[in-house]
Amino acid sequence: MQRSSGTPLYKKVFEELKSKIDSGYYEIGDLLPSENDLCKMYFTTRPTVRQALGDLSNLGYIVRQHGKGSIVSEPKNGLGILSLKGSTAGVGKHDLRTSMITKPVRRPWPEKFDFELSAEEKELGSVYLSRLRYVDGLPTLFEETYISDKNLPRFTMHNLAKNSLFDILKNYHQVEVKEGEQRIWAIEASLELAKMFDIEANKPVLHMKRRLKTNTKNLFIYSFLYCNTQDFFIQDYF
């Protein structure tokens, strides 16, 4: 297992075991290797392995039974949309389907914008798109995205209903997210959101405003997300 510089080893063990569960390598009901075996597999100590297993247990991926070990369980309905890896990576085993509300289009920035824009960004304009994401068939995430329109030739030709935004930016435009900030609070669903999510108006929904910095100067990604948490809770790990 390759260890990234600065990444705690317990987190690498956690991520690799979680990936194997998500991919089906370890199925529901399977017994994970013993702590001793995991120590040998990852060349680490028992406290490190126990910390990784503890995080898996907290997220509902395993049940730890005394005398038996760690058993893979059905993860709870948690979505990792707080991660900067994006919604596609955050849904785990859940089925994700995307409906384009607005296909990518170039347009000026809104007169009133929730984030401060640089002079270059204002001059460049933005690429705007909006998507409704269905998780296991339920309308769960509505996302409006603005991207600084810098060095993105033919970007509006991409199919954002079937492909990850972050993957497209990386593979076709060499743009990668480096860091970001996000603001989160609960709001009452508007009539438009209630209709979109098929819930009663004024029901609480999670609202997130996100600004992501990329490896290209003055190319930022701004997302405004609304999450229906009637059937899912929001989770992440650090």
Side-chain angles (χ1 to χ4, degrees), residues 59-81:
L59 291 182
Y61 276 85
I62 62 172
V63 175
R64 304 178 74 184
Q65 295 187 4
H66 182 70
K68 286 189 176 181
S70 300
I71 301 172
V72 178
S73 63
E74 181 71 54
K76 300 178 180 66
N77 287 330
L79 303 177
I81 66 168

PDB file of all heavy atoms in Angstrom, residues 59-81:
ATOM      1  N   LEU A  59     -19.272   4.559  10.598  1.00  0.00           N
ATOM      2  CA  LEU A  59     -20.018   4.848   9.375  1.00  0.00           C
ATOM      3  C   LEU A  59     -20.976   3.722   8.997  1.00  0.00           C
ATOM      4  O   LEU A  59     -21.674   3.815   7.988  1.00  0.00           O
ATOM      5  CB  LEU A  59     -19.051   5.109   8.210  1.00  0.00           C
ATOM      6  CG  LEU A  59     -18.235   6.389   8.289  1.00  0.00           C
ATOM      7  CD1 LEU A  59     -17.365   6.540   7.058  1.00  0.00           C
ATOM      8  CD2 LEU A  59     -19.132   7.601   8.443  1.00  0.00           C
ATOM      9  N   GLY A  60     -21.003   2.658   9.796  1.00  0.00           N
ATOM     10  CA  GLY A  60     -21.942   1.572   9.546  1.00  0.00           C
ATOM     11  C   GLY A  60     -21.470   0.532   8.550  1.00  0.00           C
ATOM     12  O   GLY A  60     -22.256  -0.320   8.130  1.00  0.00           O
ATOM     13  N   TYR A  61     -20.194   0.570   8.172  1.00  0.00           N
ATOM     14  CA  TYR A  61     -19.686  -0.387   7.190  1.00  0.00           C
ATOM     15  C   TYR A  61     -19.414  -1.753   7.800  1.00  0.00           C
ATOM     16  O   TYR A  61     -19.458  -2.762   7.103  1.00  0.00           O
ATOM     17  CB  TYR A  61     -18.413   0.145   6.531  1.00  0.00           C
ATOM     18  CG  TYR A  61     -18.693   1.074   5.372  1.00  0.00           C
ATOM     19  CD1 TYR A  61     -18.928   2.425   5.578  1.00  0.00           C
ATOM     20  CD2 TYR A  61     -18.737   0.587   4.076  1.00  0.00           C
ATOM     21  CE1 TYR A  61     -19.191   3.272   4.519  1.00  0.00           C
ATOM     22  CE2 TYR A  61     -18.995   1.422   3.002  1.00  0.00           C
ATOM     23  CZ  TYR A  61     -19.230   2.766   3.234  1.00  0.00           C
ATOM     24  OH  TYR A  61     -19.507   3.590   2.188  1.00  0.00           O
ATOM     25  N   ILE A  62     -19.097  -1.776   9.082  1.00  0.00           N
ATOM     26  CA  ILE A  62     -18.830  -3.049   9.740  1.00  0.00           C
ATOM     27  C   ILE A  62     -19.488  -3.065  11.111  1.00  0.00           C
ATOM     28  O   ILE A  62     -19.793  -2.004  11.689  1.00  0.00           O
ATOM     29  CB  ILE A  62     -17.317  -3.321   9.900  1.00  0.00           C
ATOM     30  CG1 ILE A  62     -16.670  -2.242  10.791  1.00  0.00           C
ATOM     31  CG2 ILE A  62     -16.622  -3.418   8.549  1.00  0.00           C
ATOM     32  CD1 ILE A  62     -15.226  -2.552  11.157  1.00  0.00           C
ATOM     33  N   VAL A  63     -19.702  -4.278  11.624  1.00  0.00           N
ATOM     34  CA  VAL A  63     -20.124  -4.489  13.006  1.00  0.00           C
ATOM     35  C   VAL A  63     -19.022  -5.291  13.674  1.00  0.00           C
ATOM     36  O   VAL A  63     -18.609  -6.345  13.169  1.00  0.00           O
ATOM     37  CB  VAL A  63     -21.457  -5.255  13.082  1.00  0.00           C
ATOM     38  CG1 VAL A  63     -21.809  -5.572  14.532  1.00  0.00           C
ATOM     39  CG2 VAL A  63     -22.570  -4.440  12.437  1.00  0.00           C
ATOM     40  N   ARG A  64     -18.541  -4.806  14.801  1.00  0.00           N
ATOM     41  CA  ARG A  64     -17.447  -5.473  15.490  1.00  0.00           C
ATOM     42  C   ARG A  64     -18.028  -6.328  16.608  1.00  0.00           C
ATOM     43  O   ARG A  64     -18.662  -5.813  17.534  1.00  0.00           O
ATOM     44  CB  ARG A  64     -16.451  -4.446  16.023  1.00  0.00           C
ATOM     45  CG  ARG A  64     -15.931  -3.530  14.909  1.00  0.00           C
ATOM     46  CD  ARG A  64     -14.979  -2.487  15.427  1.00  0.00           C
ATOM     47  NE  ARG A  64     -13.686  -3.070  15.765  1.00  0.00           N
ATOM     48  CZ  ARG A  64     -12.682  -2.373  16.317  1.00  0.00           C
ATOM     49  NH1 ARG A  64     -12.858  -1.088  16.593  1.00  0.00           N
ATOM     50  NH2 ARG A  64     -11.527  -2.953  16.572  1.00  0.00           N
ATOM     51  N   GLN A  65     -17.832  -7.619  16.523  1.00  0.00           N
ATOM     52  CA  GLN A  65     -18.380  -8.559  17.502  1.00  0.00           C
ATOM     53  C   GLN A  65     -17.251  -9.231  18.264  1.00  0.00           C
ATOM     54  O   GLN A  65     -16.333  -9.811  17.659  1.00  0.00           O
ATOM     55  CB  GLN A  65     -19.257  -9.607  16.808  1.00  0.00           C
ATOM     56  CG  GLN A  65     -20.516  -9.031  16.164  1.00  0.00           C
ATOM     57  CD  GLN A  65     -21.430 -10.110  15.630  1.00  0.00           C
ATOM     58  OE1 GLN A  65     -21.181 -11.293  15.798  1.00  0.00           O
ATOM     59  NE2 GLN A  65     -22.508  -9.699  14.980  1.00  0.00           N
ATOM     60  N   HIS A  66     -17.350  -9.153  19.592  1.00  0.00           N
ATOM     61  CA  HIS A  66     -16.311  -9.749  20.438  1.00  0.00           C
ATOM     62  C   HIS A  66     -16.254 -11.250  20.204  1.00  0.00           C
ATOM     63  O   HIS A  66     -17.269 -11.945  20.209  1.00  0.00           O
ATOM     64  CB  HIS A  66     -16.607  -9.461  21.909  1.00  0.00           C
ATOM     65  CG  HIS A  66     -15.563  -9.992  22.843  1.00  0.00           C
ATOM     66  ND1 HIS A  66     -14.292  -9.457  22.922  1.00  0.00           N
ATOM     67  CD2 HIS A  66     -15.598 -11.033  23.726  1.00  0.00           C
ATOM     68  CE1 HIS A  66     -13.590 -10.135  23.811  1.00  0.00           C
ATOM     69  NE2 HIS A  66     -14.349 -11.091  24.323  1.00  0.00           N
ATOM     70  N   GLY A  67     -15.073 -11.746  19.967  1.00  0.00           N
ATOM     71  CA  GLY A  67     -14.884 -13.166  19.752  1.00  0.00           C
ATOM     72  C   GLY A  67     -15.007 -13.590  18.300  1.00  0.00           C
ATOM     73  O   GLY A  67     -14.615 -14.705  17.939  1.00  0.00           O
ATOM     74  N   LYS A  68     -15.558 -12.711  17.454  1.00  0.00           N
ATOM     75  CA  LYS A  68     -15.695 -13.027  16.026  1.00  0.00           C
ATOM     76  C   LYS A  68     -14.810 -12.140  15.162  1.00  0.00           C
ATOM     77  O   LYS A  68     -14.099 -12.612  14.283  1.00  0.00           O
ATOM     78  CB  LYS A  68     -17.157 -12.884  15.593  1.00  0.00           C
ATOM     79  CG  LYS A  68     -18.069 -13.996  16.077  1.00  0.00           C
ATOM     80  CD  LYS A  68     -19.435 -13.890  15.422  1.00  0.00           C
ATOM     81  CE  LYS A  68     -20.328 -15.058  15.829  1.00  0.00           C
ATOM     82  NZ  LYS A  68     -21.672 -14.976  15.179  1.00  0.00           N
ATOM     83  N   GLY A  69     -14.893 -10.834  15.398  1.00  0.00           N
ATOM     84  CA  GLY A  69     -14.117  -9.907  14.589  1.00  0.00           C
ATOM     85  C   GLY A  69     -15.003  -8.852  13.950  1.00  0.00           C
ATOM     86  O   GLY A  69     -16.059  -8.490  14.486  1.00  0.00           O
ATOM     87  N   SER A  70     -14.597  -8.363  12.790  1.00  0.00           N
ATOM     88  CA  SER A  70     -15.306  -7.284  12.090  1.00  0.00           C
ATOM     89  C   SER A  70     -16.089  -7.859  10.920  1.00  0.00           C
ATOM     90  O   SER A  70     -15.506  -8.420   9.991  1.00  0.00           O
ATOM     91  CB  SER A  70     -14.307  -6.234  11.589  1.00  0.00           C
ATOM     92  OG  SER A  70     -13.586  -5.679  12.672  1.00  0.00           O
ATOM     93  N   ILE A  71     -17.417  -7.689  10.976  1.00  0.00           N
ATOM     94  CA  ILE A  71     -18.308  -8.246   9.961  1.00  0.00           C
ATOM     95  C   ILE A  71     -18.865  -7.112   9.111  1.00  0.00           C
ATOM     96  O   ILE A  71     -19.349  -6.107   9.630  1.00  0.00           O
ATOM     97  CB  ILE A  71     -19.462  -9.029  10.616  1.00  0.00           C
ATOM     98  CG1 ILE A  71     -18.893 -10.160  11.489  1.00  0.00           C
ATOM     99  CG2 ILE A  71     -20.402  -9.602   9.563  1.00  0.00           C
ATOM    100  CD1 ILE A  71     -19.934 -10.875  12.319  1.00  0.00           C
ATOM    101  N   VAL A  72     -18.780  -7.276   7.788  1.00  0.00           N
ATOM    102  CA  VAL A  72     -19.295  -6.260   6.868  1.00  0.00           C
ATOM    103  C   VAL A  72     -20.808  -6.193   6.991  1.00  0.00           C
ATOM    104  O   VAL A  72     -21.502  -7.218   6.950  1.00  0.00           O
ATOM    105  CB  VAL A  72     -18.887  -6.579   5.409  1.00  0.00           C
ATOM    106  CG1 VAL A  72     -19.477  -5.539   4.459  1.00  0.00           C
ATOM    107  CG2 VAL A  72     -17.374  -6.626   5.278  1.00  0.00           C
ATOM    108  N   SER A  73     -21.342  -4.991   7.155  1.00  0.00           N
ATOM    109  CA  SER A  73     -22.779  -4.802   7.306  1.00  0.00           C
ATOM    110  C   SER A  73     -23.303  -3.892   6.209  1.00  0.00           C
ATOM    111  O   SER A  73     -22.530  -3.330   5.424  1.00  0.00           O
ATOM    112  CB  SER A  73     -23.101  -4.208   8.683  1.00  0.00           C
ATOM    113  OG  SER A  73     -22.518  -2.919   8.817  1.00  0.00           O
ATOM    114  N   GLU A  74     -24.606  -3.732   6.150  1.00  0.00           N
ATOM    115  CA  GLU A  74     -25.235  -2.837   5.178  1.00  0.00           C
ATOM    116  C   GLU A  74     -25.038  -1.408   5.653  1.00  0.00           C
ATOM    117  O   GLU A  74     -25.538  -1.018   6.706  1.00  0.00           O
ATOM    118  CB  GLU A  74     -26.730  -3.139   5.075  1.00  0.00           C
ATOM    119  CG  GLU A  74     -27.472  -2.267   4.063  1.00  0.00           C
ATOM    120  CD  GLU A  74     -27.107  -2.617   2.630  1.00  0.00           C
ATOM    121  OE1 GLU A  74     -27.227  -3.785   2.246  1.00  0.00           O
ATOM    122  OE2 GLU A  74     -26.687  -1.688   1.906  1.00  0.00           O
ATOM    123  N   PRO A  75     -24.304  -0.573   4.914  1.00  0.00           N
ATOM    124  CA  PRO A  75     -24.105   0.811   5.361  1.00  0.00           C
ATOM    125  C   PRO A  75     -25.432   1.542   5.495  1.00  0.00           C
ATOM    126  O   PRO A  75     -26.368   1.303   4.745  1.00  0.00           O
ATOM    127  CB  PRO A  75     -23.250   1.426   4.244  1.00  0.00           C
ATOM    128  CG  PRO A  75     -22.602   0.264   3.581  1.00  0.00           C
ATOM    129  CD  PRO A  75     -23.601  -0.851   3.656  1.00  0.00           C
ATOM    130  N   LYS A  76     -25.494   2.420   6.484  1.00  0.00           N
ATOM    131  CA  LYS A  76     -26.690   3.242   6.661  1.00  0.00           C
ATOM    132  C   LYS A  76     -26.816   4.190   5.478  1.00  0.00           C
ATOM    133  O   LYS A  76     -25.906   4.341   4.676  1.00  0.00           O
ATOM    134  CB  LYS A  76     -26.596   4.018   7.968  1.00  0.00           C
ATOM    135  CG  LYS A  76     -26.466   3.110   9.200  1.00  0.00           C
ATOM    136  CD  LYS A  76     -26.317   3.932  10.446  1.00  0.00           C
ATOM    137  CE  LYS A  76     -26.189   3.054  11.684  1.00  0.00           C
ATOM    138  NZ  LYS A  76     -24.962   2.266  11.696  1.00  0.00           N
ATOM    139  N   ASN A  77     -27.963   4.841   5.362  1.00  0.00           N
ATOM    140  CA  ASN A  77     -28.213   5.724   4.224  1.00  0.00           C
ATOM    141  C   ASN A  77     -27.491   7.055   4.392  1.00  0.00           C
ATOM    142  O   ASN A  77     -28.107   8.108   4.607  1.00  0.00           O
ATOM    143  CB  ASN A  77     -29.723   5.957   4.046  1.00  0.00           C
ATOM    144  CG  ASN A  77     -30.406   4.735   3.488  1.00  0.00           C
ATOM    145  OD1 ASN A  77     -29.810   3.974   2.745  1.00  0.00           O
ATOM    146  ND2 ASN A  77     -31.660   4.552   3.828  1.00  0.00           N
ATOM    147  N   GLY A  78     -26.186   7.002   4.318  1.00  0.00           N
ATOM    148  CA  GLY A  78     -25.394   8.214   4.454  1.00  0.00           C
ATOM    149  C   GLY A  78     -24.770   8.612   3.132  1.00  0.00           C
ATOM    150  O   GLY A  78     -24.358   7.782   2.336  1.00  0.00           O
ATOM    151  N   LEU A  79     -24.729   9.918   2.872  1.00  0.00           N
ATOM    152  CA  LEU A  79     -24.129  10.457   1.661  1.00  0.00           C
ATOM    153  C   LEU A  79     -22.948  11.342   2.042  1.00  0.00           C
ATOM    154  O   LEU A  79     -23.079  12.217   2.888  1.00  0.00           O
ATOM    155  CB  LEU A  79     -25.155  11.290   0.873  1.00  0.00           C
ATOM    156  CG  LEU A  79     -26.446  10.584   0.470  1.00  0.00           C
ATOM    157  CD1 LEU A  79     -27.371  11.578  -0.231  1.00  0.00           C
ATOM    158  CD2 LEU A  79     -26.156   9.407  -0.433  1.00  0.00           C
ATOM    159  N   GLY A  80     -21.815  11.114   1.389  1.00  0.00           N
ATOM    160  CA  GLY A  80     -20.619  11.878   1.695  1.00  0.00           C
ATOM    161  C   GLY A  80     -20.453  13.100   0.828  1.00  0.00           C
ATOM    162  O   GLY A  80     -19.385  13.306   0.255  1.00  0.00           O
ATOM    163  N   ILE A  81     -21.490  13.931   0.715  1.00  0.00           N
ATOM    164  CA  ILE A  81     -21.403  15.079  -0.190  1.00  0.00           C
ATOM    165  C   ILE A  81     -20.561  16.206   0.389  1.00  0.00           C
ATOM    166  O   ILE A  81     -20.274  17.179  -0.310  1.00  0.00           O
ATOM    167  CB  ILE A  81     -22.797  15.621  -0.574  1.00  0.00           C
ATOM    168  CG1 ILE A  81     -23.509  16.207   0.654  1.00  0.00           C
ATOM    169  CG2 ILE A  81     -23.631  14.562  -1.240  1.00  0.00           C
ATOM    170  CD1 ILE A  81     -24.733  17.010   0.303  1.00  0.00           C
TER     171      ILE A  81
END
